[in-house]
Amino acid sequence: MTTDWTIGYVIGGVILLAVVVLVVAILTLAKQIGDEAPKINTALEGAVRNTAPLGALRTTIEHATIIIAGLRRGRERLGG
């Protein structure tokens, strides 16, 4: 074999090694993310449960507006 072929094999080996290292790093990170996913999902489900009552806030505001309007009418009738 000539020197050119040896240099080519060495460069190819280095590139292959770099690709393998990067793929292993990506797969390791993907596994870590996958391991955390159930915890994240549980936290998000808790957030949905904890914020669900806010959906009824518009109804509360509407009722409060009606009550305030009634109080204003009553005050006007009493001369206030």
Side-chain angles (χ1 to χ4, degrees):
M1 293 196 138
T2 63
T3 306
D4 292 339
W5 279 100
T6 305
I7 292 173
Y9 281 130
V10 169
I11 292 173
V14 169
I15 291 173
L16 181 64
L17 181 63
V19 169
V20 168
V21 168
L22 290 174
V23 168
V24 167
I26 290 169
L27 291 175
T28 303
L29 288 173
K31 182 175 179 348
Q32 290 174 353
I33 291 169
D35 291 344
E36 293 296 318
K39 296 176 192 173
I40 294 168
N41 192 46
T42 301
L44 288 173
E45 287 172 348
V48 168
R49 267 192 318 276
N50 293 337
T51 58
L54 292 176
L57 187 58
R58 181 153 317 281
T59 304
T60 303
I61 292 171
E62 289 171 0
H63 288 123
T65 304
I66 292 169
I67 292 169
I68 291 170
L71 292 172
R72 284 189 182 137
R73 284 191 309 273
R75 182 180 290 165
E76 289 172 1
R77 289 183 183 167
L78 292 174

